[in-house]
Amino acid sequence: HGRAECFNNTPHFSNKSVPTIKGKTWVDQLNTGKQLGCICSSDDHWARPGTCGLMAAWSASGLTREGIVNALLKPQACYGTTGDRTILYFDVEGQEHPTVRVRAAAGTEIEKLEIIKDGSVVHTREGDALTIEDTWVDPAAPSACWYYVRLTLREQAVCEENMVGRKQFAWSSPIWMKG
């Protein structure tokens, strides 16, 4: 229950005093070498899919059977949000100095874009609009690693009841680089 991205993340959206267990978060699992994508889903027991906030999303080339199946097979096409209908595109190109490209649009202002490499924030760009684009070149020497993107969105006054006045988030699935 709550946001299990990483240990001690805030806000964690849980009523429990310790919402995440060290070693059991998504980032902990990525750091052990597991290649896991990111989706979000609610813990709703009322059979109302999509009405309790969290959402899984895919970026497809088109609304055709082929476009959707291809998106489901492409790891970086999958992402999750805490409810905002966010569009998130994320790609990494090049091996010597990987270039990370991000484009996003949301229904509420994007407050911050963060690029995470191997579990640590390596680049931050502040925002104050419904869209954001950024390109970042990793200055580090090439190595086997993984990257993902986290968007922080401003609080909303009108949204799902359990999210009113809370920051919203979107996370890309990681992209793994070979060393």
Side-chain angles (χ1 to χ4, degrees):
H1 294 104
R3 197 176 120 202
E5 176 188 6
C6 55
F7 188 67
N8 282 335
N9 61 54
T10 56
H12 52 71
F13 304 132
S14 173
N15 295 328
K16 301 192 182 302
S17 60
V18 181
T20 54
I21 300 169
K22 195 167 183 76
K24 302 294 182 185
T25 68
W26 180 50
V27 168
D28 291 333
Q29 299 308 304
L30 293 172
N31 281 331
T32 67
K34 293 180 182 163
Q35 293 193 3
L36 304 171
C38 177
I39 66 164
C40 294
S41 62
S42 67
D43 192 11
D44 180 272
H45 299 280
W46 297 97
R48 299 176 298 157
T51 62
C52 291
L54 307 170
M55 305 177 85
W58 282 265
S59 178
S61 60
L63 293 177
T64 63
R65 182 176 294 182
E66 181 182 12
I68 292 168
V69 168
N70 287 339
L72 292 172
L73 297 174
K74 190 176 174 185
Q76 68 267 29
C78 171
Y79 60 98
T81 80
T82 55
D84 186 89
R85 276 33 178 193
T86 303
I87 298 169
L88 176 58
Y89 170 81
F90 159 62
D91 199 11
V92 181
E93 298 174 348
Q95 283 288 350
E96 189 166 325
H97 289 289
T99 300
V100 179
R101 287 180 173 60
V102 183
R103 288 192 322 259
T108 191
E109 288 183 348
I110 299 169
E111 188 175 274
K112 183 170 42 174
L113 176 156
E114 295 169 290
I115 297 172
I116 291 95
K117 177 183 178 184
D118 293 337
S120 298
V121 175
V122 292
H123 177 72
T124 301
R125 169 135 184 245
E126 301 296 324
D128 63 356
L130 298 177
T131 61
I132 194 166
E133 286 190 44
D134 200 14
T135 300
W136 175 74
V137 178
D138 190 343
S143 64
C145 65
W146 49 268
Y147 301 90
Y148 75 90
V149 171
R150 174 175 52 228
L151 297 177
T152 303
L153 311 175
R154 295 205 193 289
E155 297 89 353
Q156 292 180 334
V158 180
C159 61
E160 293 299 328
E161 181 181 319
N162 62 329
M163 294 301 290
V164 171
R166 292 182 170 187
K167 290 191 183 297
Q168 301 257 349
F169 295 89
W171 299 269
S172 73
S173 283
I175 294 178
W176 290 267
M177 304 298 290
K178 297 178 181 176

